[in-house]
Amino acid sequence: MPPRKATTGRSQSPRRRFAEELKALRVESGESLRRLAERMGWDWSLFGKMENGETIGGPEVALALDQHYGMKGGLLALWELALGDSTQFKEQYRRYMKLEAETASLSHFSVSTIHGLLQTDGYATAVLSAGGASGVELSQQVEARASRRALLMGDGVPHFRTILSEAVLRTPLADPQEWRAQLEHLLAMADHPRITLQVLLQTAGVHGLDSTDVMFLRLPGGQSVAYTENAHRGELIEESTSVDRLQVAYDAVRDLALSPAQSRTFILRMLEEVPCDDAPPST
């Protein structure tokens, strides 16, 4: 196929334009989705979702497609524009929330903050405020986060494993009593029969998730998807090879973490360091 330039006169949304260009390139080449998948080494459903705008795929997929179609960086440039589309996070997060409601189990690792499912209102308020929320928006976001806790309550709830980096527990709230309440809440949730809480000590050393917050969702059919997130962006990952790579890193972190019993002891020690309102003044 001779090289051609990416089409720029279609949809105004970068994400939509990227999806349209992918489909146009494939149709022009005469390939079916399955034939393309055979040549590229990825599951054909990933390319279908990319053409439908459900996902933009990862950089390695975009680069491989750019080279496959002889685009000389044109397709990769469109992918980068789609990655920066302000609507992407919201669209992916909505899909993540839908999948979360259907999940059979959740496995989570946190680098910096406690997951929203285990946050008290006080902790959620502090985290969301630090992210720039205020006023009515802040109240709505805290309320929305609180409503998600229902996922872990009642009968038939999914199993939830969370591994907290030690840094999470070494970053207290400004209000000692709110921080105490959050630690006590963690201990209470750790007693839940469907929740497993572990702590990864800093002495465990470097690992494959040292800069990544990730949540794995195992869906009823056995498929797993992953959601990675930082303070500015979240990405839903459904392509099996990418999910498997993250899962291997997660399993290694789990093996390095303290046991649930040891983790509970560690949190209790952290709780003992938090000053109480009724503590006698120092002399």
Side-chain angles (χ1 to χ4, degrees):
M1 168 186 282
R4 60 184 287 271
K5 293 183 179 180
T7 302
T8 58
R10 293 193 174 102
S11 298
Q12 294 300 307
S13 163
R15 184 184 179 91
R16 188 67 251 168
R17 190 160 72 237
F18 176 69
E20 290 173 350
E21 183 67 20
L22 280 181
K23 187 169 184 178
L25 286 166
R26 182 180 59 78
V27 171
E28 185 177 318
S29 72
E31 294 176 311
S32 67
L33 284 171
R34 292 185 182 277
R35 180 58 178 160
L36 175 63
E38 290 173 1
R39 291 181 174 179
M40 302 296 294
W42 275 280
D43 190 274
W44 69 271
S45 63
L46 170 64
F47 297 120
K49 290 174 181 176
M50 291 174 72
E51 290 184 8
N52 289 332
E54 295 179 39
T55 182
I56 63 170
E60 69 279 3
V61 181
L63 178 60
L65 286 169
D66 186 280
Q67 294 171 343
H68 176 70
Y69 290 123
M71 295 296 289
K72 296 185 176 180
L75 189 61
L76 189 59
L78 280 180
W79 178 86
E80 290 173 345
L81 287 172
L83 182 66
D85 186 358
S86 62
T87 64
Q88 183 194 15
F89 174 80
K90 294 179 180 178
E91 290 173 3
Q92 289 201 349
Y93 193 67
R94 280 196 293 268
R95 174 157 173 74
Y96 168 80
M97 293 297 291
K98 179 178 182 296
L99 293 174
E100 184 181 79
E102 302 170 354
T103 190
S105 68
L106 308 98
S107 300
H108 171 254
F109 173 70
S110 179
V111 175
S112 56
T113 60
I114 297 165
H115 191 272
L117 290 173
L118 299 179
Q119 291 179 6
T120 61
D121 286 354
Y123 188 92
T125 299
V127 170
L128 293 168
S129 295
S134 61
V136 174
E137 178 190 14
L138 175 60
S139 299
Q140 291 174 340
Q141 290 187 21
V142 171
E143 183 178 349
R145 188 159 293 190
S147 68
R148 292 179 60 203
R149 297 177 202 145
L151 181 70
L152 301 179
M153 304 302 169
D155 298 328
V157 301
H159 181 266
F160 179 40
R161 176 188 299 273
T162 183
I163 304 173
L164 302 176
S165 168
E166 182 180 348
V168 175
L169 300 171
R170 298 259 180 215
T171 309
L173 300 179
D175 184 335
Q177 299 316 306
E178 291 287 4
W179 181 232
R180 170 175 288 277
Q182 177 61 75
L183 293 177
E184 290 174 341
H185 182 65
L186 279 181
L187 289 170
M189 295 303 287
D191 287 337
H192 192 290
R194 301 288 290 170
I195 296 176
T196 301
L197 189 153
Q198 294 178 261
V199 175
L200 180 72
L201 298 181
Q202 293 172 335
T203 53
V206 297
H207 53 83
L209 296 177
D210 54 12
S211 61
T212 305
D213 276 25
V214 62
M215 173 73 90
F216 295 92
L217 309 179
R218 185 170 61 82
L219 304 178
Q223 175 194 5
S224 290
V225 301
Y227 188 80
T228 60
E229 188 173 17
N230 60 36
H232 306 287
R233 187 184 305 279
E235 181 181 6
L236 181 64
I237 301 172
E238 299 182 76
E239 194 272 313
S240 58
T241 301
S242 298
V243 174
D244 289 346
R245 190 179 302 119
L246 280 169
Q247 185 68 62
V248 169
Y250 182 86
D251 290 345
V253 166
R254 184 188 61 200
D255 292 342
L256 291 170
L258 298 177
S259 71
Q262 292 170 326
S263 298
R264 180 180 178 82
T265 300
F266 182 85
I267 296 173
L268 280 169
R269 288 204 307 268
M270 298 296 298
L271 187 58
E272 291 172 356
E273 298 175 8
V274 180
C276 297
D277 275 343
D278 56 357
S282 58
T283 57

